[in-house]
Amino acid sequence: MQNIKRNKPNILVTGTPGVGKSLLCVKLAEITGMRWIDVSKVAVENNCLEEFDQEYNCPILDEDKLMDGLEESMSLGGNIVDYHSCEFFPERWFDIVFVLRVDNTTLFDRLTARGYSGKKLEDNIQCEIFQTILEEARSSYAEEIVHELQSTNAAELESNVQRIYMWVQSWLQTNTET
């Protein structure tokens, strides 16, 4: 898909739950006019769930069904995709990938405020400690399109929004005909 001419880029925003993906994506969608795709919400709305994981208290994603459902939207471009995992998305879908990171104390506070506890809380904290999502992105996409961004506070959020907005403007200038 990267060789297909689109009018707007596709962006993947990923990271451990609680790093601020959705807040960033909402702000980006507002200032860029791009479409925010909250994968978890799309999966529920389009019945792309296989079963329920009792241990983690969450549904299991039917990745193939989800990919089939998103293919047309992704081919058109102009999407900001928000999900806590990234290795199953086709590489051709994205022009750039942003992995949000946060310090463990902040992440712990955010996840406990969401009601995470026990194994689910511990595993998500470990995921951040061991940079699992960052490594997943680096092994799934070309090195030059994967960018790590800190997302601990409001100043970093605004800086990230502006950085990505500037990237979108540059992409538009380079990739669209005038």
Side-chain angles (χ1 to χ4, degrees):
M1 187 182 303
Q2 289 176 329
N3 296 328
I4 295 173
K5 195 72 170 165
R6 295 187 308 253
N7 290 330
K8 289 188 177 180
N10 286 325
I11 299 169
L12 175 60
V13 177
T14 189
T16 306
V19 295
K21 297 178 299 296
S22 296
L23 185 56
L24 176 74
C25 290
V26 166
K27 289 181 171 284
L28 281 174
E30 287 173 359
I31 68 168
T32 63
M34 294 171 65
R35 181 177 146 200
W36 170 36
I37 298 177
D38 178 345
V39 171
S40 296
K41 184 177 177 183
V42 170
V44 169
E45 291 171 351
N46 294 284
N47 197 27
C48 298
L49 304 172
E50 294 179 336
E51 57 191 66
F52 195 81
D53 184 324
Q54 296 296 332
E55 184 174 23
Y56 289 103
N57 193 32
C58 65
I60 297 173
L61 186 65
D62 181 339
E63 296 171 0
D64 292 333
K65 187 174 182 181
L66 178 72
M67 297 302 98
D68 290 344
L70 289 175
E71 185 71 45
E72 185 176 344
S73 293
M74 296 305 293
S75 68
L76 297 173
N79 299 295
I80 303 166
V81 176
D82 166 359
Y83 197 57
H84 62 266
S85 182
C86 64
E87 84 278 355
F88 63 91
F89 293 117
E91 184 176 4
R92 70 182 186 281
W93 279 9
F94 299 107
D95 299 287
I96 197 158
V97 176
F98 293 100
V99 181
L100 300 187
R101 304 289 316 280
V102 69
D103 68 82
N104 299 325
T105 301
T106 301
L107 183 61
F108 180 87
D109 292 346
R110 289 178 184 177
L111 292 178
T112 54
R114 289 184 178 187
Y116 283 42
S117 62
K119 183 168 177 52
K120 186 173 184 176
L121 175 62
E122 291 170 20
D123 286 356
N124 279 290
I125 296 292
Q126 285 184 358
C127 183
E128 189 65 12
I129 290 169
F130 294 116
Q131 302 181 33
T132 304
I133 307 301
L134 180 61
E135 294 305 318
E136 190 178 279
R138 288 178 174 159
S139 68
S140 299
Y141 303 96
E143 180 181 342
E144 64 271 10
I145 73 166
V146 177
H147 302 271
E148 178 182 4
L149 300 175
Q150 293 302 309
S151 181
T152 303
N153 55 48
E156 288 175 345
L157 170 66
E158 290 308 317
S159 174
N160 292 339
V161 168
Q162 287 307 309
R163 177 179 175 178
I164 298 170
Y165 176 77
M166 295 304 295
W167 179 88
V168 169
Q169 295 307 305
S170 176
W171 188 96
L172 291 170
Q173 190 173 30
T174 303
N175 292 283
T176 56
E177 297 177 26
T178 55

